[in-house]
Amino acid sequence: PEVAGAEACRHSRVVGFSQCILYVEVDSAPWLQMLSTFKKPELLNAARAVMRGVRVTDIRFRIGTAPGGAPPAATPERSPCRKQTPPSTTPGT
């Protein structure tokens, strides 16, 4: 929150830090666009200010799951890997 603000935190989360690069997942393409294209220089400067003593050279964004949650479970209607079966028309089944 100190780096990106409360609203951005509802749509993103830090998932790693390696070789001076901060890795962030966002929950949608619009948030990916906004953070990586329009806000990245501001976020990089804020991360450097907050993470004193730690060298941050870049922030990389990717689309992932919602912050603090697991990806939604696939349902037969949405899963391209499951064979669709018609609902039963026999009463009681």
Side-chain angles (χ1 to χ4, degrees), residues 29-85:
W31 276 99
L32 177 70
Q33 174 87 21
M34 182 180 11
L35 295 177
S36 65
T37 303
F38 303 112
K39 295 281 191 175
K40 186 174 180 177
E42 175 185 328
L43 293 172
L44 191 53
N45 287 333
R48 289 175 178 153
V50 169
M51 300 171 66
R52 292 175 206 171
V54 177
R55 187 170 173 231
V56 182
T57 59
D58 195 13
I59 303 175
R60 296 197 185 155
F61 300 90
R62 68 178 184 206
I63 294 181
T65 60
T75 60
E77 295 80 27
R78 293 189 350 211
S79 176
C81 300
R82 287 198 164 165
K83 190 174 186 178
Q84 298 294 314
T85 57

